[in-house]
């Protein structure tokens, strides 16, 4: 039979590997990262790298790019303001990576950032990618701030250097559920999810809150994130006559759900989380989308500080989409902490991050002991004439309208408007 | 039987060649670390895929049974590891206990799938295995209710790293003056497992069982006629392939520290199949080469396609990920048409595919 | 009762779409014993092309009634899909007709990956929302609702199936197809141009796929470049369930699978509610008091049904419900 020597095959493997090394070597030369923080007596300015990771290719790459823009804006402003840390003039540099929303790729690019000795990281976007990557950052001791991963598990790992500036699913879920309870007072509610980490996590929190409020919750129904035919599930629900339906999932499956529900004559109020809190719902469900309720973690984009909105528009010639104010704040938080600790060494400025009290584009940011944002705001929207309109902002369990919120926070944006925002900030920080 | 040991007693040049390969593989991670530990991780994934491909190669390459749900066994191995060594159930069994259990459970799944379906014709079998792979994934995704077995789509986090003699594979240690990072340790572990799997494969190939597989692949009726218990032998192929998949899955869980059903979708099965087909079904070293090649393709594309497009058009027009998938598809089509035996075909397979079926 | 009837209507609508897609699989399989794995992608292309035509017509505010606009979309989708089907046969399958049977299956997987990603490049990764132009007209039937679109889908499917059956049993091409299916080399000796017959089988299958794609897209109002994979897999299961290679089988299988999915998602959750099982009551009472239910298998297992049916049928009755027992041709 086969009398070949296995060596040639092996040799080929090695050849491939050698080739890969050669390739790496070339790739490396192009980047040539100078050692980051402690370069002794750099001539003009020391370069400090800040990593940003999000999916830049794939289905949600537009959100990833939006995130990256937010961080890039913060870094550009810091460089313009001119910052001196530890006696060195600092130039921040953003190292943008693409995690393709894939956990495997996520850990690989996380390792790349660790290799490059970045001083801090803004990212990732998806919870499923952020959690495995956070373990790597924790090992390397590099602070990471996510602006959009809302899965509670992320900050429950006991990692000291992992932060999040956006509300958790278990804050968003209760917010939308409580709003539902207070406004439409349902007796029976149905909860549906798309069997993804995001959809299920959010639906679980909603179910918990509804039950606590004394609402009878029907057994959970599930589709997938690709489900377009909801009729069997809806027909079953119709027989049980719920007054309200919550769906944890994205607009692509949530839209057909709403349309088919109305076709079947289901009159219940429909509520959604941030994944389906988009204008696309009107395209998908037509007139049936009118009056639906949905929530977003954080404040609505247009309620972000005016200085941020203007700067973003000026630089990228577009309006921020979703999480850009948060990545902007996350990058600023890192920079502020470095300034306060007078060091770009993660081990030294980490404490400053924990005690940060930062007035950012998305409001005041302080962290609790887990690294979550204290009192994160949630916004409730409703669909009006084909567009989602904010109707309430919920903070510390209190609900207020858009106007009330803007009025309550008006002085802050006005104060920080003139200068490039971050540079003006530290004066306002309470001495802690 | 002792053919593959031949080169040990063989000529001086082949000995030298082997020594060179061994040394090269041993120092490889140190060389890669110079370029960044990320490259060690990429290499580790490549070896992991090589393990998977070798397992699938037993089923597809040796026995000629097309399995489109192979990733299910990988998933079973990964989940076994995750459940037995993570805070999910509060267990932390050592990896040398967990890995064999994972292999065993994956093997059981292989038999469970194989026993009722192996009498099916080739293409029916392919579709049934595909359905099986999806069923396993859907169950993993939903077994958080009414009892929380798999934690559903949220996946299992904080999986224990491999630990040998008090040395955790997660952190960096200094051995003999060299700093050895976590991924480097996994590299050596994976390399060791790969060598063992290669040896098992090489011995299988020329054993009675291996010949029986090839006989079935070439003509099942004739194989039956000469007294081969085809059902048993085919079942054995499924069981062995599944076990290797289970082992690879367990190591994957340990390296990642977090797994969720997302990692075990149909595309992954097809990816592994593409590696086997591209490398050359039935040829052990061809399959490894296929796995390594296709694992590095995305990274190669990242360094070539992106800058190239950016310099040509000023922006990205076709994402590397899409190019990779298009290349996979094209490779499958072109290989079947022009080199059905793969880039590095095994000699028998080549003969078989050349003649009329 | 109205709930049950409603589930039947839901199942029938879904099943009719499955049936038409299944016809594409079963015709090709009947003639050359090949699983045209890329057929789902043809269906997807049909939906995509129709989407482009319909959106641009609506965007240009062409004063046509909604039905005519959808018809225009279909008329554009059919030739594109037929061309794709023909291309598949020529490029991917014809050169491999004498190869081992796994070879064309692998090629088919390759082709479907290519078609998906080409579609992605053309139509983007986003979910495409069909313009909501068809007015929702609902009828009440014995307490259940049925929309005009549903009636349309069911009746168009029925018409297409009847037409296809007539064609296969009453026309010259049909005779040639049946002869080729029976024995291609003998058919060739009798003067049947086997290549042409096989090509026309692909063309007809693709045209049916295009129509199914348009129906699916405009009914659910959404199209995506990966939609063909799941739809194709389910339709294939339907074809196998009915007995692959058998036209009537594809229709029966499709409708049956639609009903199984509907009724399964509708009732299996209640049936596997452990709180209603007297035997285990003591064991689960704590959970039951807390939640009021403890469900083993809910609607989350909806997608499992198709695969389970497929595996069970293949294992227990490999030739399907209506298929005849054929000798192993492997």
């Amino acid at each position: 039979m086969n009398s070949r020597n296995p060596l040639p095959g092996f040799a080929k493997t090695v050849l491939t590997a050698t080739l890969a090394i050669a390739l790496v070597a070339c790739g490396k030369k192009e980047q040539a990262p100078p050692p980051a923080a402690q370069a002794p007596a750099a001539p003009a300015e020391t370069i400090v790298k800040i990593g940003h990771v999000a999916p830049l290719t794939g289905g949600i790459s537009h959100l990833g790019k939006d995130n990256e823009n937010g961080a890039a804006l913060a870094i550009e402003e810091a460089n313009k303001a001119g910052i001196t840390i530890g006696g060195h003039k600092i130039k921040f540099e953003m190292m943008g990576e693409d995690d393709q929303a894939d956990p495997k790729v996520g850990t690989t690019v996380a390792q790349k950032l660790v290799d490059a000795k970045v001083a801090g990281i803004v990212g990732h976007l998806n919870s499923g990618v952020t959690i495995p990557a956070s373990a790597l950052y924790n090992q390397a001791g590099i602070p990471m701030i996510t602006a959009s991963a809302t899965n509670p598990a992320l900050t429950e790992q006991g990692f000291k250097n992992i932060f999040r500036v956006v509300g958790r699913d278990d804050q968003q879920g209760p917010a939308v559920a409580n709003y539902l309870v207070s406004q439409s007072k349902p007796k029976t509610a149905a909860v549906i999810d798309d069997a993804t980490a995001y959809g299920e996590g959010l639906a679980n929190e909603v179910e918990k809150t509804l039950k606590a409020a004394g609402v009878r919750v029907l057994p959970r129904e599930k589709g997938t994130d690709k489900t377009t035919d909801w009729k069997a599930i809806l027909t079953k629900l119709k027989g049980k006559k719920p007054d309200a339906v919550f769906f944890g999932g994205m607009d692509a499956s949530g839209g057909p759900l709403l349309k088919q529900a109305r076709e079947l004559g289901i009159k219940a109020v429909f509520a959604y989380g941030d994944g389906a809190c988009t204008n696309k719902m009107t395209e998908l469900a037509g007139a049936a989308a009118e009056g639906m309720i949905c929530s977003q973690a954080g404040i609505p984009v247009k309620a972000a500080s005016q200085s941020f909105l203007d700067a973003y528009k000026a630089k990228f010639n577009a309006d921020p989409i979703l999480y850009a104010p948060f990545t902007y704040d996350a990058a600023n938080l890192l920079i502020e902490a470095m300034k306060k600790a007078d060091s770009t060494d993660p081990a030294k400025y980490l404490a400053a991050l924990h005690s940060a009290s930062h007035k950012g584009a998305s409001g005041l940011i302080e962290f609790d002991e887990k690294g979550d944002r204290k009192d994160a705001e949630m916004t409730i929207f409703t669909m009006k004439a084909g567009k989602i309109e904010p109707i309430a902002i919920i903070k510390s369990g209190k609900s207020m309208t858009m106007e009330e919120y803007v009025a309550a926070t008006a002085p802050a944006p006005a104060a920080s408007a003139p200068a490039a925002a971050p540079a003006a900030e530290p004066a306002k920080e309470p001495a802690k | 039987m002792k053919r593959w040991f031949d080169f040990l007693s063989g000529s001086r040049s082949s000995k030298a060649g082997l020594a060179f390969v061994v040394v090269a593989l041993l120092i490889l991670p140190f060389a890669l670390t110079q370029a960044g530990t990320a490259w060690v991780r990429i290499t580790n994934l490549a070896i992991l895929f090589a393990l998977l491909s070798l397992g699938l190669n037993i089923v597809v390459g040796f026995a000629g049974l097309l399995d489109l749900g192979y990733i299910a066994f990988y998933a079973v191995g990964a989940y076994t590891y995750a459940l037995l060594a993570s805070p999910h159930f509060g267990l932390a069994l050592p990896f040398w206990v967990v890995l064999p259990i994972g292999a065993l459970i994956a093997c059981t799944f292989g038999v469970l799938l194989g026993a009722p379906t192996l009498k099916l014709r080739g293409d029916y079998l392919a579709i049934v295995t595909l359905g099986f792979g999806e069923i396993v994934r859907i169950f993993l995704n939903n077994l958080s209710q009414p009892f929380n077995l798999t934690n559903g789509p949220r996946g299992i986090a904080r999986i224990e790293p491999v630990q040998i003699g008090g040395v955790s594979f997660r952190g960096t240690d200094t051995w003999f003056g060299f700093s050895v990072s976590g991924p480097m340790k996994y590299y050596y572990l994976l390399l060791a497992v790969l060598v063992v799997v290669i040896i098992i494969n090489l011995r299988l190939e020329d054993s009675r069982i291996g010949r029986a597989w090839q006989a079935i692949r070439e003509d099942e009726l004739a194989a039956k006629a000469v007294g081969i218990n085809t059902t048993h032998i085919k079942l054995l192929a499924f069981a062995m392939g599944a076990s290797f998949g289970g082992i690879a899955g367990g190591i994957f869980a340990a390296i990642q520290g977090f797994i969720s059903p997302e990692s075990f979708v149909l595309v992954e099965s097809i990816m592994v199949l593409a590696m086997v087909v591209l490398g050359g079904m039935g040829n052990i070293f061809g399959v490894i080469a296929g796995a390594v090649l296709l694992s590095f393709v995305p990274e190669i594309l990242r360094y070539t396609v992106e800058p190239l497009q950016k310099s040509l058009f000023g922006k990205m027009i076709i994402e590397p990920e899409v190019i990779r998938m298009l290349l996979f598809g094209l490779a499958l089509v072109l290989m079947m048409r022009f080199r059905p035996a793969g880039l590095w075909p095994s000699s028998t397979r080549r003969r078989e595919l050349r003649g009329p079926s | 009762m109205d709930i049950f009837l409603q589930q039947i209507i839901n199942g029938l609508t879904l099943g009719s779409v499955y049936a038409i897609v299944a016809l594409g699989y079963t015709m090709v399989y009947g003639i050359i014993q090949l699983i045209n794995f890329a057929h789902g992608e043809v269906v997807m292309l049909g939906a995509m092309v129709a989407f482009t035509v319909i959106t641009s017509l609506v965007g240009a505010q062409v004063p046509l009634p909604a039905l005519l606009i959808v018809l225009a979309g279909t008329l554009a989708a059919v030739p594109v899909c037929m061309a794709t089907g023909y291309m598949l046969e020529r490029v991917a399958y014809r050169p491999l007709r004498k190869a081992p049977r796994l070879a064309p299956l692998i090629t088919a997987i390759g082709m479907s990956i290519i078609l998906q990603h080409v579609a992605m490049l053309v139509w983007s990764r986003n979910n495409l929302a069909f313009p909501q132009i068809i007015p929702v007209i609902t009828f009440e039937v014995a307490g259940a609702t049925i929309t005009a679109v549903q009636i349309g889908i069911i009746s168009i499917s029925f018409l297409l199936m009847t037409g296809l059956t007539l064609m296969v049993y009453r026309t010259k091409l049909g005779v040639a197809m049946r002869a080729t299916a029976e024995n291609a080399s003998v058919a060739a000796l009798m003067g049947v141009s086997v290549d042409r017959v096989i090509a026309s089988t692909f063309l007809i299958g693709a045209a049916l796929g295009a129509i199914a794609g348009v129906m699916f897209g405009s009914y659910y109002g959404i199209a995506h470049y990966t939609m063909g994979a799941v739809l194709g897999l389910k339709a294939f299961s339907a074809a196998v369930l009915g007995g692959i290679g058998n036209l009537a089988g594809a229709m029966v299988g499709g409708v049956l699978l639609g009903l199984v999915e509907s009724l399964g998602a509708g009732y299996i959750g209640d049936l596997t509610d452990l709180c209603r099982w007297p035997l285990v009551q003591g064991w689960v009472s704590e959970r039951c008091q807390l939640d009021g239910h403890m469900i083993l298998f809910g609607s989350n297992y909806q997608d499992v049904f198709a695969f389970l049916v497929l595996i069970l049928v293949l294992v227990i009755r490999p030739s399907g419900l209506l298929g005849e027992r054929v000798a192993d041709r492997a």
Side-chain angles (χ1 to χ4, degrees):
Chain A
M1 293 209 49
N2 298 341
S3 55
R4 79 206 130 63
N5 189 324
L7 220 57
F10 231 133
K12 269 177 202 155
T13 322
V14 176
L15 203 80
T16 325
T18 332
L19 221 94
I21 301 174
L23 210 110
V24 177
C26 298
K28 202 198 168 195
K29 252 173 236 144
E30 282 165 31
Q31 294 174 8
Q38 275 74 31
E45 46 190 15
T46 310
I47 291 186
V48 173
K49 287 190 174 182
I50 291 181
H52 178 272
V53 207
L56 300 178
T57 54
I60 49 171
S61 51
H62 58 293
L63 294 181
K65 195 70 204 165
D66 185 45
N67 278 14
E68 192 178 277
N69 286 346
L73 182 63
I75 288 168
E76 192 192 79
E77 288 178 354
N79 284 336
K80 254 189 221 152
I83 290 173
T84 311
I85 293 175
H88 301 289
K89 196 152 164 36
I90 299 290
K91 182 172 190 297
F92 289 105
E93 211 175 81
M94 192 180 78
M95 191 172 163
E97 288 287 345
D98 174 16
D99 64 21
Q100 296 172 18
D102 175 342
K104 273 205 300 282
V105 181
T107 47
T108 305
V109 294
Q111 185 71 57
K112 276 190 183 152
L113 292 177
V114 172
D115 290 346
K117 298 200 167 52
V118 295
I121 288 140
V122 180
H124 302 208
L125 199 154
N126 316 65
S127 297
V129 183
T130 314
I131 294 172
S134 66
L136 256 86
Y137 301 135
N138 180 52
Q139 245 176 63
I142 302 176
M144 181 207 93
I145 307 180
T146 179
S148 48
T150 51
N151 189 332
L154 173 65
T155 43
E156 302 286 344
Q157 301 178 94
F159 295 160
K160 284 277 159 270
N161 57 332
I162 303 299
F163 301 87
R164 111 170 90 206
V165 289
V166 72
R168 301 161 36 133
D169 288 341
D170 50 4
Q171 293 169 316
Q172 187 185 160
V176 64
N178 280 327
Y179 186 83
L180 200 61
V181 170
S182 67
Q183 293 300 309
S184 53
K185 304 189 175 51
K187 285 195 185 62
T188 309
V191 179
I192 310 176
D193 71 62
D194 66 355
T196 62
Y198 161 75
E200 193 193 86
L202 193 58
N204 286 351
E205 298 303 331
V206 168
E207 181 169 334
K208 241 187 265 168
T209 313
L210 287 177
K211 276 183 178 162
V215 179
R216 193 168 78 94
V217 179
L218 297 172
R220 179 75 57 86
E221 300 292 342
K222 279 170 189 281
T224 69
D225 52 350
K226 292 189 180 65
T227 300
T228 46
D229 188 316
W230 293 98
K231 287 230 159 151
I233 288 172
L234 287 168
T235 302
K236 182 177 169 190
L237 287 183
K238 193 187 172 191
K240 304 190 172 170
K241 302 193 172 54
D243 310 305
V245 178
F246 177 83
F247 175 70
M250 310 302 286
D251 48 14
S253 43
L257 175 83
L258 188 43
K259 184 179 159 205
Q260 290 162 29
R262 299 296 185 230
E263 273 179 26
L264 284 170
I266 296 177
K267 302 263 184 322
V269 180
F270 273 71
Y272 295 84
D274 52 354
C277 208
T278 63
N279 289 334
K280 193 144 192 156
M281 290 295 286
T282 306
E283 284 176 49
L284 290 165
E290 213 58 13
M292 62 168 260
I293 291 169
C294 60
S295 64
Q296 281 181 8
I299 54 164
V301 168
K302 60 179 178 182
S305 73
Q306 200 54 45
S307 59
F308 165 77
L309 292 178
D310 294 344
Y312 190 101
K313 180 89 181 174
K315 183 162 165 59
F316 303 107
N317 196 27
D319 288 319
I321 307 176
L322 199 54
Y323 292 119
F326 297 92
T327 48
Y328 174 81
D329 284 350
N332 274 330
L333 271 161
L334 289 172
I335 294 168
E336 286 303 313
M338 289 178 207
K339 269 160 59 182
K340 202 166 146 197
D342 202 27
S343 166
T344 57
D345 182 1
K348 294 193 180 122
Y349 81 78
L350 185 61
L353 206 50
H354 272 286
S355 61
S357 175
H358 175 76
K359 194 88 196 63
S362 65
L364 180 73
I365 301 175
E366 283 172 345
F367 293 113
D368 64 14
E369 65 281 3
K370 282 179 188 156
D372 284 318
R373 184 172 178 169
K374 279 186 197 161
D375 276 342
E377 290 97 345
M378 297 289 150
T379 311
I380 308 291
F381 293 79
T382 187
M383 185 68 80
K384 240 185 219 156
K387 291 232 156 46
I388 54 163
E389 292 291 337
I391 43 173
I393 291 176
I394 293 170
K395 191 176 167 69
S396 326
K398 278 195 297 261
S399 171
M400 52 184 139
T401 63
M402 238 341 241
E403 293 72 35
E404 284 166 5
Y405 178 81
V406 172
T409 52
S416 64
E425 234 83 292
K428 282 201 295 290
E429 277 183 10
K432 189 180 175 184
Chain B
M1 187 47 90
K2 61 188 254 294
R3 172 187 59 78
W4 82 272
F5 287 112
D6 282 355
F7 58 84
L8 289 183
S9 54
S11 67
R12 186 172 294 174
S13 68
S14 71
K15 260 188 194 168
L18 181 74
F20 172 75
V21 168
V22 168
V23 171
L25 284 175
L26 286 179
I27 60 168
L28 181 65
F30 291 94
L32 288 176
T33 305
Q34 297 312 308
T37 310
W39 287 97
V40 184
R41 274 180 189 274
I42 295 167
T43 311
N44 285 351
L45 283 179
I47 302 181
L48 209 57
F49 272 115
L51 285 176
L52 272 177
S53 308
L54 283 174
L56 184 63
N57 182 47
I58 294 180
V59 186
V60 179
F62 289 172
L65 307 164
L66 187 51
D67 183 349
L68 292 180
Y70 186 66
I71 211 73
F73 307 122
Y74 184 58
V76 167
Y79 266 89
T80 308
Y81 191 102
L83 292 178
L84 295 181
S86 79
H88 184 61
F89 285 143
L91 294 172
L93 301 183
F95 94 102
W96 46 268
V97 174
V98 183
L99 271 195
I101 297 179
L104 200 71
I105 297 181
C107 175
T108 316
F109 269 77
V111 174
L112 276 180
L113 166 68
T117 55
L118 278 177
K119 60 178 184 206
L120 295 175
R121 232 167 23 200
D123 43 5
Y124 274 178
L125 181 73
I127 301 295
V128 167
T129 50
L130 190 158
F132 175 79
E134 281 297 285
I135 289 178
V136 168
R137 187 184 61 79
I138 294 173
F139 268 85
L140 289 176
N141 205 34
N142 285 306
L143 280 180
S144 53
Q145 286 290 333
F147 309 101
N148 191 359
L149 181 64
T150 62
N151 208 24
R154 278 160 297 157
I156 297 175
R158 282 185 287 165
I159 302 168
E160 296 284 329
V162 169
Q163 222 155 9
I164 297 178
V167 179
S168 166
F169 274 44
R170 186 152 285 165
T172 303
D173 282 303
T174 306
W175 293 344
F176 313 113
F178 292 109
S179 148
V180 182
S181 64
M184 285 166 83
K185 294 177 202 162
Y186 277 115
Y187 170 84
Y188 290 116
L189 176 72
L190 281 163
L191 197 63
V193 175
L194 183 68
V195 168
V196 172
V197 169
I198 290 175
I199 291 174
I200 295 175
N201 267 284
L202 284 169
R203 303 211 47 170
L204 272 176
E205 196 178 11
D206 280 350
S207 67
R208 275 178 76 94
I209 298 168
R211 282 161 206 266
W213 280 336
Q214 282 156 30
I216 290 174
R217 180 182 76 198
E218 268 145 62
D219 191 336
E220 189 169 347
L221 230 58
K224 217 176 220 166
V226 297
I228 295 174
N229 185 338
T230 53
T231 316
H232 281 185
I233 293 291
K234 285 203 293 194
L235 208 52
L236 195 65
F238 252 82
M240 301 236 23
S243 312
F244 288 140
I247 291 175
I251 302 178
F252 173 70
I255 294 180
Q256 283 293 102
F258 171 85
I259 55 164
S260 66
E262 273 179 280
S263 300
F264 309 104
V265 288
L266 179 61
V267 179
E268 298 283 318
S269 280
I270 289 175
M271 208 77 83
V272 181
L273 180 70
M275 289 168 180
V276 174
V277 170
L278 186 76
M281 286 186 270
N283 177 11
I284 292 167
F285 291 96
V287 165
I288 296 175
V292 171
L293 187 68
L294 288 192
S295 304
F296 277 95
V297 160
E299 293 306 317
I300 296 168
L301 289 178
R302 202 192 277 262
Y303 283 99
T304 51
V305 174
E306 280 184 49
L308 189 74
Q309 289 192 37
K310 279 202 175 115
S311 64
L312 280 182
F313 312 109
K315 59 174 181 162
M316 286 255 284
I317 295 186
I318 304 182
E319 297 162 358
E321 176 61 20
V322 179
I323 294 182
R324 179 169 75 126
M325 291 311 286
L326 284 174
L327 284 179
F328 276 164
L330 211 59
L332 289 179
V333 174
L334 294 180
M335 293 301 281
M336 282 300 113
R337 174 107 185 237
F338 298 108
R339 273 187 86 96
L343 290 178
W344 300 272
S346 80
S347 49
T348 33
R349 191 76 184 177
R350 198 179 320 164
R351 250 182 283 131
E352 177 205 344
L353 283 159
R354 190 168 292 158
S357 69
Chain C
M1 187 57 206
D2 61 333
I3 296 295
F4 182 73
L5 186 63
Q6 187 70 56
Q7 294 291 22
I8 298 282
I9 293 173
N10 299 339
L12 271 181
T13 319
L14 191 60
S16 324
V17 180
Y18 286 163
I20 300 204
V21 183
L23 282 175
Y25 283 102
T26 223
M27 284 174 65
V28 168
Y29 196 92
I31 289 204
I32 49 174
Q33 283 78 52
L34 165 94
I35 300 173
N36 179 10
F37 209 77
H39 186 57
E41 269 36 83
V42 174
V43 177
M44 176 270 292
L45 279 181
M48 292 299 207
V49 171
F51 167 82
T52 306
V53 172
I54 294 175
T55 356
S56 48
L57 282 181
V58 172
Q61 294 179 325
V62 181
L64 285 176
L67 275 181
L68 278 183
I69 291 182
V70 177
L71 188 69
T74 317
L75 287 181
V78 168
V80 173
C81 290
M82 285 172 89
T84 313
Y86 184 72
M87 186 271 299
L88 277 175
E89 200 268 330
R90 279 309 292 266
V91 175
Y93 304 137
R94 191 178 291 186
L96 295 173
R97 221 174 271 163
K98 296 256 179 314
R101 56 186 320 138
L102 289 191
L105 193 60
I106 292 175
T107 322
I109 294 172
M111 286 311 288
S112 73
I113 294 178
I114 294 175
L115 285 177
Q116 267 189 28
H117 286 86
V118 168
M120 197 212 84
L121 289 175
V122 177
W123 284 282
S124 91
R125 280 175 190 270
N126 300 330
N127 286 290
L128 308 172
F130 273 70
Q132 311 271 328
I133 47 168
I134 310 174
V136 181
I137 307 166
T138 50
F139 303 100
E140 290 273 329
V141 189
T145 54
I146 184 165
T147 63
V149 179
Q150 283 180 308
I151 298 177
I153 287 179
I154 296 174
S155 39
I156 290 173
S157 306
F158 188 74
L159 284 178
L160 285 174
M161 290 188 250
T162 322
L164 188 68
T165 316
L166 284 178
M167 194 218 71
V168 168
Y169 287 97
R170 291 275 190 276
T171 65
K172 222 172 155 185
L173 178 62
V175 175
M177 285 167 99
R178 283 183 291 140
T180 311
E182 202 71 37
N183 189 327
S185 33
V186 174
L189 288 176
M190 298 293 153
V192 174
S193 167
V194 173
D195 276 347
R196 277 182 62 184
V197 168
I198 294 175
S200 29
T201 310
F202 271 89
L203 287 176
I204 297 170
L208 289 173
I211 298 174
V214 179
M215 291 201 301
F216 194 86
S218 48
Y219 176 46
Y220 295 113
I222 194 166
H224 190 240
Y225 76 98
T226 56
M227 66 186 271
V230 177
L231 189 60
L233 220 50
K234 288 192 173 165
F236 177 77
S237 307
V240 173
L241 173 62
I244 195 159
N246 181 319
L247 287 185
M251 305 172 205
V252 171
V255 172
L256 221 54
L257 187 68
L259 289 175
V260 165
E261 284 198 350
S262 254
L263 296 176
Y267 291 99
I268 206 146
D270 287 347
L271 289 178
T272 57
D273 187 349
L274 291 184
C275 298
R276 299 185 184 189
W277 292 11
L279 275 179
V280 291
Q281 215 129 59
W283 184 47
V284 296
S285 60
E286 211 172 296
R287 277 283 291 272
C288 288
Q289 269 170 9
L290 207 68
D291 294 346
H293 54 82
M294 185 171 181
I295 288 167
L296 269 188
F297 300 104
S299 50
N300 40 349
Y301 291 95
Q302 192 178 12
D303 282 343
V304 170
F305 300 140
F307 299 123
L308 273 185
V309 163
L310 178 72
I311 294 179
L312 286 180
V313 168
L314 281 179
V315 169
I316 297 165
R317 195 180 152 84
S319 48
L321 295 178
L322 300 185
E324 317 137 35
R325 197 134 191 99
V326 283
D328 195 336
R329 292 193 227 196

